């Protein structure tokens, strides 16, 4: 049987009319002869609301209980979706993460998928049913409910497509596909027909919230072609796939803003072996994910160390660095909680020169000061003041002509 996985995001399921519309798209796919597995997110802003409910009662809620709570949003969507299909005359069954044995590690609120029990889904598909699976959730080896991190239903969908060896995985959302930048911020962004996994992974990891980064990692690893499409309009969307040589012809494919970052600086740390290891061991114990680590020797005796974290980890990070401060002879700690990062991404950077210069020049002309710069083989990121992030994105997008299709750009 040919299998298609179709994932619907929260805005695409926000009310009964939208659920019926999504159900209609699923039925159209069934009529083409596919066995369809739907992955559904929580409706509308329900996950945000559940987070707010938790924080009203406890400013630092136990992560296990957070997962127990947040998973209920998706559980509602899947049963409502199955009811909508039933009302339209189609046999459907909704399943939670635990019912499909979506096994994860025990990292509550950021769990990683370890395996999926595909047998039950196959059995229902063979019975002619449409299977509706709750996104974003799994269980650990002790049967505790886990969640995969915000936006994680994308990862559920791609992982299920991989486990079922589906023909493809379609991600239905509230935009027409992947754009050269978030179209809600840079109005003239253009839709991309296709993008390779590596570029999409960098875009998603550096702020393009349209896809969950782990979904892209999983798609690349298991060869799942991912189509990102509009749930409202019948358009082709964007295909996320393996790199083809023509992709290198474009220096920059997309740009992003990552907000909600904080930068921590440890100033005047004793310049001796093992100090960096001590700092990051403490942070790992506090379960803080760290990015953009920069260490600079300032004299034979002293070094400065800085790194970025998600602002939600700020309290845990401050506590961890305060604990280690004396042990590493750190003179002072500075914290910036008003940072955002603007990034440009493109596999073409490997073969084009002048990309960094163009980005820095665009920011200079827009009078945006650069706090720090980090790069990968296919990305350049500049940390800037949060209040200037949108201006910076606009300037960078204009400089790289991200407002027109690649074929029409001057360079
Ligand atoms: P869903 O609820 O369907 O999962 P999300 O809100 O997670 O939807 O993702 C869709 C949103 O991602 C869009 O509304 C858009 O504002 C944002 N976005 C950010 N960067 C991009 C981009 N490069 N291309 C398209 N959308 C983007
Ligand atoms: N409902 C979850 C969230 O809002 C997961 C998802 O939508 O992908 O983050
Ligand atoms: Mg999403």
């Amino acid at each position: 049987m040919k299998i298609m996985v179709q994932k619907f995001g929260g805005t695409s399921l926000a009310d009964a009319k939208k659920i019926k519309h999504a159900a209609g798209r699923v039925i159209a796919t069934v009529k083409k002869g596919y066995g369809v597995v739907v992955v559904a997110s929580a409706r509308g802003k329900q996950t945000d609301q559940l987070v707010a409910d938790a924080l009203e009662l406890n400013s630092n809620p136990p992560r296990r209980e957070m997962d127990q709570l947040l998973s209920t949003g998706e559980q509602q969507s899947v049963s409502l979706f199955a009811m909508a299909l039933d009302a339209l005359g189609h046999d459907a069954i909704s399943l939670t993460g635990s019912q499909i044995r979506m096994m994860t590690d025990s990292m509550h609120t950021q769990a990683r998928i370890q395996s999926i029990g595909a047998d039950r889904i196959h059995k229902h598909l063979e019975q002619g049913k449409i299977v509706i699976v709750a996104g974003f959730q799994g269980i650990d080896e002790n049967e505790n409910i886990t969640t995969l991190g915000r936006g994680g239903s994308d990862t559920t969908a791609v992982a299920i497509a991989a486990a079922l060896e589906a023909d493809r995985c379609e991600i239905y959302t509230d935009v027409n596909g992947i754009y050269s930048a978030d179209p809600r911020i840079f109005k003239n962004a253009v839709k991309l027909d296709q993008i390779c996994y590596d570029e999409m992974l960098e875009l998603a990891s550096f702020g393009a919230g349209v896809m969950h980064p782990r979904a892209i990692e999983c798609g690349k690893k298991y060869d799942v072609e991912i189509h990102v499409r509009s749930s409202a309009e019948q358009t082709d969307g964007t295909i996320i796939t393996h790199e083809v040589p023509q992709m290198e012809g474009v220096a920059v494919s997309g740009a992003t803003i990552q907000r909600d970052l904080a930068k921590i600086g440890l100033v005047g740390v004793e310049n001796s072996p093992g100090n960096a290891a001590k700092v990051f061991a403490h942070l790992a114990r506090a379960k803080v994910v760290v990015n953009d680590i920069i260490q600079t020797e300032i004299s034979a005796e002293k070094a400065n160390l800085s790194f970025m974290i998600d602002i939600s980890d700020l309290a845990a990070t401050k506590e961890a660095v305060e604990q280690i401060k004396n042990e590493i002879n750190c003179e002072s700690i500075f914290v910036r909680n008003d940072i955002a990062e603007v990034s440009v991404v493109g596999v073409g950077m490997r073969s084009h020169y002048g990309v960094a210069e163009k980005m820095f020049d665009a920011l200079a002309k827009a009078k945006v000061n650069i706090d720090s710069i980090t790069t990968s083989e296919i990305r350049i990121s500049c940390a800037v003041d949060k209040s200037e992030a949108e201006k910076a994105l606009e300037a960078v997008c204009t400089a790289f002509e991200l407002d027109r299709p690649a074929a029409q750009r001057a360079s």
Side-chain angles (χ1 to χ4, degrees), residues 7 9-10 41 150-154 171 173 209-212:
K7 178 251 167 182
S41 291
R150 297 302 307 272
S153 298
D154 299 330
I171 305 287
T173 185
V210 59
M211 284 297 296
H212 194 233

Side-chain angles (χ1 to χ4, degrees), residues 6-10 13 19 22-23 26 37-44 46 70-87 90-100 130-137 153 156 160:
Q6 299 187 310
K7 178 251 167 182
F8 292 88
L13 302 174
I19 295 182
V26 170
V37 178
V38 175
V39 173
S41 291
R43 304 169 76 198
Q46 198 182 7
L70 297 190
S71 64
T72 61
E74 272 68 15
Q75 197 167 335
Q76 290 179 27
S77 308
V78 287
S79 38
L80 290 168
F81 207 112
M83 289 175 199
L85 284 167
D86 179 75
H90 286 261
D91 207 2
I93 180 164
S94 69
L95 298 170
T96 62
S98 78
Q99 286 169 324
I100 60 156
I130 300 170
V131 181
I132 327 290
V133 177
F136 173 59
Q137 57 181 263
S153 298
T156 307
I160 288 178

Side-chain angles (χ1 to χ4, degrees), residues 161-201:
L164 300 177
E165 295 181 15
D167 269 35
R168 65 173 188 252
C169 179
E170 296 185 333
I171 305 287
Y172 285 94
T173 185
D174 59 0
V175 275
N176 284 344
I178 309 294
Y179 281 70
S180 53
D182 186 340
R184 291 184 207 287
I185 306 174
F186 181 58
K187 299 273 177 261
N188 297 328
V190 287
K191 186 177 76 75
L192 310 174
D193 293 334
Q194 55 175 16
I195 184 166
C196 68
Y197 295 114
D198 289 341
E199 287 179 329
M200 193 60 228
L201 180 58

Side-chain angles (χ1 to χ4, degrees), residues 116-341:
I116 300 174
D119 296 355
R120 183 160 182 189
I121 302 178
H122 275 304
K123 188 183 86 191
H124 291 310
L125 288 175
E126 276 151 25
Q127 290 164 342
K129 291 185 178 151
I130 300 170
V131 181
I132 327 290
V133 177
F136 173 59
Q137 57 181 263
I139 47 165
D140 72 3
E141 57 183 356
N142 299 315
E143 307 269 330
N144 291 304
I145 294 177
T146 54
T147 63
L148 309 180
R150 297 302 307 272
S153 298
D154 299 330
T155 300
T156 307
V158 178
I160 288 178
L164 300 177
E165 295 181 15
D167 269 35
R168 65 173 188 252
C169 179
E170 296 185 333
I171 305 287
Y172 285 94
T173 185
D174 59 0
V175 275
N176 284 344
I178 309 294
Y179 281 70
S180 53
D182 186 340
R184 291 184 207 287
I185 306 174
F186 181 58
K187 299 273 177 261
N188 297 328
V190 287
K191 186 177 76 75
L192 310 174
D193 293 334
Q194 55 175 16
I195 184 166
C196 68
Y197 295 114
D198 289 341
E199 287 179 329
M200 193 60 228
L201 180 58
E202 291 276 1
L203 291 173
S205 306
F206 284 80
V210 59
M211 284 297 296
H212 194 233
R214 284 195 197 144
I216 311 301
E217 282 171 3
C218 180
K220 182 177 179 189
K221 186 167 172 191
Y222 296 102
D223 231 346
V224 179
E225 195 169 275
I226 305 168
H227 291 215
V228 180
R229 311 175 67 172
S230 159
S231 56
E233 286 173 39
Q234 296 275 1
T235 51
D236 279 346
T238 303
I239 300 175
I240 307 173
T241 184
H242 290 287
E243 187 179 334
V244 291
Q246 300 88 286
M247 288 178 178
E248 282 225 21
V250 184
V252 168
S253 301
T256 59
I257 295 181
Q258 191 172 25
R259 299 178 214 268
D260 301 326
L261 295 173
K263 182 176 170 178
I264 312 294
L266 303 180
V267 182
V269 174
E270 186 183 300
N271 192 7
S272 61
N275 275 344
K278 280 182 198 155
V279 172
F280 293 103
H282 255 69
L283 290 166
R285 235 169 282 137
K287 296 195 163 52
V288 174
V289 178
V290 175
N291 281 307
D292 296 351
I293 302 168
I294 302 175
Q295 179 168 305
T296 325
E297 191 177 70
I298 49 171
S299 70
E301 294 80 32
K302 291 282 177 186
N304 289 344
L305 183 60
S306 71
F307 54 87
M308 297 278 202
I309 53 159
D310 193 279
I311 200 121
S312 60
D313 286 330
L314 188 54
T317 305
K318 277 186 183 164
E319 205 181 307
V321 292
E322 282 297 341
Q323 281 168 4
I324 192 85
K325 185 179 169 204
N326 292 339
E327 213 182 307
I328 57 171
N329 285 325
C330 165
E331 286 166 8
S332 62
I333 297 171
F334 80 80
V335 175
R336 272 199 75 174
N337 58 6
D338 55 352
I339 286 267
E341 231 171 11

